[in-house]
Amino acid sequence: MRRFVFLIVLIASVIRASAQVSVEARIDSIEMFVGQQVHVTLTANAQENAKIEFPQFKPTQYITPGVEVLSSKELDKRDLDNGFVARSMEYTLTSFDDTLYYLPPMVVKIDGKAYKSKSLALKVLTIEVDTTHVDQFFGPKDVQDNPFLWSEWRLPFWLSVLMLVLLALSYYLYLRLRDNKPIIKTIRIVKRLLPHQKAMKEIEQIKADKMVTSENSKEYYTKLTDTLRKYIEERYGFNAMEMTSSEIIEKLMAIQDESALSELRHLFLTADLVKFAKYSTLINENDANLVNAIEFINQTKQENVPVEETIQPQLTEEDQRSQKARRVLKTAIWAIFTVCGLLFAYVMYMLYLLLN
């Protein structure tokens, strides 16, 4: 008996639930002019956890020949009594032929079961033309200019003003750059004579002046020893011009072989006697001392030494500041020109949009 009662209650609840499941379709206007739009709302009432499948249409797909579906969107659901909800889909329709259309029922699947809505009708109207009063019809209007709106032109106007200001600033910076003369660093490459070449050049000049045969022995030995002192100073790197003859020989003995300095010692001794003791020399003695000087130079000369010297210019602090200022000015000018170019392109694009 209990099983029978339970079965009856279950069947009654299923019948009641089935009776509450429904599909409704309504149209917001049954008439429209050609090219206008109407909306068809398809609503399904079912339990909240029910699976509902609405019919799907692609844009410009015909729901019936002559009536196009422009778009479709699902509306917010509404809660009903007894755990039911109402879910709706809105379809936007249009048509371009004036006639009365029959919109067939739309099928909604709820939990796999198909439910049909009622059919609808749509009357598409056309605009009546009064052909009896032709004088009341006018041809197409000319192209009309859009009204001037400051809100549309404000942004390109102010951007153009900004671009002009930046161009003026860049011209001012250019004038500053032009007035600020560049610092040109000239790297000089100087060809210098080696110490032995300088010495031999001066000895050749002594020969050319015939100082060997001159009666003024003091001038001859002064010129000859000064030439040797300069050579020794440049060759060995100590201040031979400010040293006495004995100091020079003593300094050279720490570097050179003593046997190679015997003739040089004799030359300096003779020169000291001539300059300070009024010693008189013979011509052959002068020739011998000249030969000794040349021999000493040839024995001690260095030939594998670079003869070119690169001289790098040294900039003052003011020159360095000037160079830095020029770099800053150049960078600023290029940056401003880049910004102006971007602004010009953007303004032209906005003007194109406004004028077209």
Side-chain angles (χ1 to χ4, degrees), residues 23-25 42-43 104-108 115-120:
V23 174
E24 299 177 359
L42 184 62
T43 303
M106 303 176 73
V107 179
V108 179
Y115 294 86
K116 290 185 178 182
S117 68
K118 64 181 180 179
S119 59
L120 301 173

Side-chain angles (χ1 to χ4, degrees), residues 78-121:
R78 295 180 291 107
D79 294 329
L80 303 176
D81 297 333
N82 300 326
F84 276 66
V85 294
R87 296 183 180 175
S88 303
M89 182 72 75
E90 183 182 78
Y91 302 92
T92 303
L93 311 180
T94 189
S95 179
F96 297 94
D97 293 323
D98 57 329
T99 186
L100 177 63
Y101 290 100
Y102 166 76
L103 303 181
M106 303 176 73
V107 179
V108 179
K109 289 186 178 180
I110 303 176
D111 290 333
K113 184 177 180 181
Y115 294 86
K116 290 185 178 182
S117 68
K118 64 181 180 179
S119 59
L120 301 173

Side-chain angles (χ1 to χ4, degrees), residues 174-332:
Y174 167 75
L175 294 179
R176 290 286 304 275
L177 181 64
R178 187 186 63 182
D179 295 338
N180 189 6
K181 301 299 182 183
I183 305 299
I184 300 176
K185 296 191 298 183
T186 304
I187 300 176
R188 294 187 298 123
I189 299 177
V190 179
K191 288 188 177 181
R192 60 185 181 89
L193 294 176
L194 296 177
H196 70 275
Q197 293 173 336
K198 292 181 183 179
M200 292 304 297
K201 187 175 182 181
E202 291 186 9
I203 289 176
E204 292 298 327
Q205 186 63 40
I206 292 173
K207 290 181 180 181
D209 293 340
K210 298 181 179 180
M211 298 181 67
V212 177
T213 60
S214 174
E215 294 181 358
N216 192 351
S217 299
K218 182 176 180 180
E219 182 183 1
Y220 166 68
Y221 279 100
T222 300
K223 185 69 175 177
L224 182 60
T225 54
D226 285 347
T227 300
L228 288 172
R229 287 172 183 271
K230 291 177 183 177
Y231 167 74
I232 293 170
E233 182 172 318
E234 294 185 15
R235 169 64 178 84
Y236 294 102
F238 59 87
N239 192 7
M241 295 297 294
E242 302 297 330
M243 300 171 67
T244 63
S245 299
S246 58
E247 289 175 341
I248 294 174
I249 297 299
E250 184 179 353
K251 191 77 173 179
L252 289 175
M253 288 178 61
I255 304 172
Q256 287 289 121
D257 185 9
E258 184 177 356
S259 60
L261 300 176
S262 60
E263 301 298 335
L264 182 65
R265 181 185 293 107
H266 178 71
L267 188 155
F268 275 122
L269 179 59
T270 303
D272 289 341
L273 291 173
V274 170
K275 289 189 290 184
F276 302 112
K278 297 182 180 181
Y279 176 73
S280 297
T281 58
L282 300 176
I283 294 176
N284 59 349
E285 189 176 3
N286 295 340
D287 286 335
N289 285 325
L290 184 64
V291 172
N292 292 335
I294 296 173
E295 185 67 22
F296 172 76
I297 293 172
N298 288 331
Q299 288 179 356
T300 59
K301 66 181 179 181
Q302 285 183 323
E303 292 183 321
N304 298 326
V305 179
V307 296
E308 291 186 354
E309 181 179 2
T310 302
I311 301 177
Q312 294 281 355
Q314 299 295 326
L315 298 181
T316 63
E317 291 187 9
E318 183 178 356
D319 291 340
Q320 292 177 357
R321 287 195 298 268
S322 179
Q323 278 193 334
K324 184 177 181 181
R326 287 184 62 84
R327 286 196 294 268
V328 171
L329 288 175
K330 287 182 180 179
T331 303

